[in-house]
């Protein structure tokens, strides 16, 4: 009851200010003020104010907001853990399938793949055009006084 009275008073005051603005030949501002002042009156007439008042003072509604908050926290935390582990469930299954293939069936320890151990580098054989590359580098170093 109090909310409806306050909203009606706000609407009446807004329409009064809009009338003063129209009297001063500020019709655009008066129309905008009238539009804003009619919003609370419309909310009262449609019943939105009653619904908000019933929701604000209802323990069941607040418990529902709490449940929604917990579900949101669970969703956010699971997404963070999923990102940290590296992907979706399908990607993890594919990674596990690839990991099991890397183990030799008769071996006592897992075999090492190419990515886990660096390959030895072959001895660098001098190339025919290697002298040209070094001459360019020497010219640059001489230019800078090194």
């Amino acid at each position: 009851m109090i909310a409806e009275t306050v909203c009606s008073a706000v609407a009446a005051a807004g329409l009064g200010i809009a009338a003063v603005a129209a009297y001063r030949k500020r019709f655009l501002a008066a129309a905008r003020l009238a539009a804003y002042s009619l919003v609370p009156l419309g909310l009262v007439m449609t019943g939105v104010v009653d619904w908000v008042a019933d929701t604000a003072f209802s323990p069941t509604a607040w418990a529902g907001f709490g449940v929604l908050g917990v579900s949101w926290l669970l969703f956010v935390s699971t997404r963070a853990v999923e990102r940290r582990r590296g992907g979706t469930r399908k990607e993890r299954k594919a990674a596990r399938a690839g990991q099991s293939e890397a183990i030799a069936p008769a071996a006592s320890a897992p075999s090492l793949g190419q990515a886990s151990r660096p390959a030895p580098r072959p001895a660098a054989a001098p190339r025919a055009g290697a002298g040209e590359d070094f001459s360019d580098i020497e010219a640059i170093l001489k230019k800078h006084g090194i």
Side-chain angles (χ1 to χ4, degrees), residues 2 85 90:
I2 294 174
R85 283 188 180 171
K90 289 180 182 178

Side-chain angles (χ1 to χ4, degrees), residues 2 11-12 19 22-23 30 57 60 62 66-67 70 75 77-79 87 90 94 102 119 122 124 129:
I2 294 174
Y23 179 76
F57 297 114
T60 306
W62 284 107
V67 169
V70 168
F75 178 73
S77 64
T78 56
R79 292 291 292 172
K90 289 180 182 178

Side-chain angles (χ1 to χ4, degrees), residues 122-135:
R127 291 181 288 169
E132 296 173 5
D133 292 336
F134 289 122
S135 64

Side-chain angles (χ1 to χ4, degrees), residues 61-117:
W62 284 107
F65 285 126
V67 169
L68 288 174
V70 168
S71 69
W72 180 79
L73 284 174
L74 286 172
F75 178 73
V76 169
S77 64
T78 56
R79 292 291 292 172
V81 169
E82 186 177 78
R83 284 190 193 129
R84 195 168 190 198
R85 283 188 180 171
T88 62
R89 181 180 297 163
K90 289 180 182 178
E91 292 171 353
R92 288 192 303 272
K93 281 184 180 179
R96 276 190 230 125
Q99 185 181 22
S100 65
E101 292 171 2
I103 299 173
S108 61
S111 60
L112 300 176
Q114 292 288 351
S116 62
R117 183 174 52 192

Side-chain angles (χ1 to χ4, degrees), residues 3-4 29 74 120 123 125 143:
E4 290 86 358
L74 286 172
K143 180 179 175 183

